[in-house]
Amino acid sequence: MAVFNAIDLNLSKPKRARTTPLVRHILKSDNHPFIGRVYDLSIVGMNFDSWDEINKHPDCKYALEANEVLHALVSRVESLNLVGSLLWPKPFPNNFRDFPVSRYDWLTVAVDVFLVRYISVVDCALLLANQVLQCDLKERNCTVETLRRKGANPIVMAILDDLLADQGQLRAERNSRVHQGLERGFTQDDATFRMAALFEHRYQGIKGQDQLGRRINVARFFREALVEVQRDFKRATRRLVRLLDSLYDQLWEEFEKRFVPLIRAATHGFNAGAKGISRPDS
């Protein structure tokens, strides 16, 4: 069994990081009534065989296009629960030698998926606002600033600003990983953790001390790192869901303002039960 002696940096031993997993947070992706409202309206699509036919009816077109963009946002939020499954694995792997990746690589993949999908939630939210508010921006041009220049509802814009601000550091990390190849460290001695995980996965493990003079324990390193990523995940996604609910509240009102006149003017006969629905608190 290999022995690994880390470089002595004459650093004092830090306080041990937490290794007890946090309670898992599962995102609720589709429980807002606005989502149910648009999903229900999308049933009208069963009456058409092509978008050419749909385009003849402005109310159907508006509802179905909103549904398409909304579904993408809901799916992206739901996909963050896949990240949760990586961060709260059940059953917890006891032997990472049987896995195709090391403990360290497992965390790296989890963070990659989390950052890309979390950041893209706001991009999907921008597209939904663009669609509901009928700003007619092309996808590649749909940003907070272009929506603002289009005169989008100030309350909607304030929520989108908050969503973007919340992403701040994580968006910067996503960019550095994707565009510069820079990655976060998971522990106080990340080099030793990465080396120990590699030796555990490919060989018979290593013994010795890390750069802080602590006994190398790859399982403990992994649990410490896992808790830190769990903490980031919970902090980011809890507020994300609250802000999205606020956004749905506002977009629901905007949606009905536009949809109700269209459905009242419709002559296609598919509008049974499709009249405007007010918010519960309105």
Side-chain angles (χ1 to χ4, degrees):
M1 186 173 295
V3 177
F4 179 73
N5 293 314
I7 300 172
D8 181 10
L9 298 181
N10 296 317
L11 299 176
S12 59
K13 293 184 181 180
K15 182 180 179 181
R16 280 290 188 182
R18 172 173 175 159
T19 59
T20 303
L22 304 181
V23 176
R24 180 175 179 179
H25 172 58
I26 298 177
L27 285 76
K28 296 179 180 180
S29 60
D30 61 357
N31 68 328
H32 194 282
F34 172 59
I35 299 171
R37 165 69 166 153
V38 176
Y39 280 10
D40 286 345
L41 290 174
S42 71
I43 296 174
V44 74
M46 298 177 65
N47 295 285
F48 302 99
D49 294 324
S50 70
W51 273 102
D52 288 337
E53 295 180 34
I54 294 171
N55 288 336
K56 298 174 183 178
H57 306 287
D59 59 322
C60 297
K61 181 176 184 292
Y62 181 62
L64 290 172
E65 288 181 341
N67 176 73
E68 186 175 22
V69 182
L70 179 60
H71 181 72
L73 173 56
V74 170
S75 297
R76 186 45 49 114
V77 174
E78 177 60 33
S79 75
L80 288 172
N81 287 319
L82 299 176
V83 181
S85 295
L86 293 175
L87 300 180
W88 283 271
K90 287 187 177 181
F92 192 87
N94 291 320
N95 186 357
F96 270 80
R97 293 190 66 189
D98 296 333
F99 271 61
V101 296
S102 71
R103 296 175 192 261
Y104 190 95
D105 291 337
W106 176 283
L107 291 170
T108 298
V109 170
V111 171
D112 280 345
V113 176
F114 169 52
L115 289 173
V116 171
R117 292 181 178 270
Y118 171 69
I119 298 304
S120 72
V121 166
V122 173
D123 297 330
C124 292
L126 291 170
L127 293 175
L128 178 62
N130 176 52
Q131 179 61 45
V132 171
L133 301 177
Q134 296 180 303
C135 292
D136 297 324
L137 293 169
K138 293 183 178 180
E139 290 184 1
R140 64 177 180 274
N141 298 327
C142 187
T143 66
V144 168
E145 292 309 315
T146 55
L147 283 171
R148 204 185 316 275
R149 287 198 293 270
K150 281 284 188 174
N153 182 310
I155 299 177
V156 170
M157 295 312 306
I159 297 170
L160 292 172
D161 284 337
D162 286 343
L163 281 165
L164 197 61
D166 264 14
Q167 290 190 337
Q169 184 175 349
L170 292 178
R171 180 177 284 270
E173 182 181 354
R174 189 283 306 265
N175 292 341
S176 68
R177 291 172 81 92
V178 172
H179 302 300
Q180 302 170 36
L182 303 177
E183 298 182 354
R184 69 165 67 183
F186 292 114
T187 63
Q188 293 161 326
D189 182 0
D190 198 63
T192 300
F193 172 34
R194 185 171 186 172
M195 181 67 71
L198 176 64
F199 271 66
E200 176 200 39
H201 184 246
R202 294 187 181 179
Y203 309 110
Q204 298 298 317
I206 57 177
K207 293 181 177 179
Q209 294 181 333
D210 67 10
Q211 296 183 14
L212 301 172
R214 303 172 302 184
R215 181 177 66 86
I216 292 176
N217 183 334
V218 67
R220 186 177 185 91
F221 290 162
F222 177 69
R223 290 194 298 271
E224 289 178 0
L226 192 62
V227 169
E228 284 301 308
V229 182
Q230 288 175 348
R231 187 174 287 115
D232 282 350
F233 178 87
K234 292 186 69 170
R235 183 187 302 116
T237 57
R238 279 176 168 170
R239 182 162 165 80
L240 173 68
V241 170
R242 291 196 297 270
L243 286 172
L244 284 176
D245 281 346
S246 297
L247 179 66
Y248 291 145
D249 285 343
Q250 295 300 319
L251 290 181
W252 191 358
E253 292 186 0
E254 295 290 339
F255 178 86
E256 297 296 349
K257 287 179 184 177
R258 293 161 173 78
F259 179 70
V260 170
L262 294 175
I263 194 67
R264 286 175 177 167
T267 59
H268 48 58
F270 302 137
N271 57 346
K275 294 181 180 180
I277 299 177
S278 299
R279 289 173 48 189
D281 57 348
S282 63

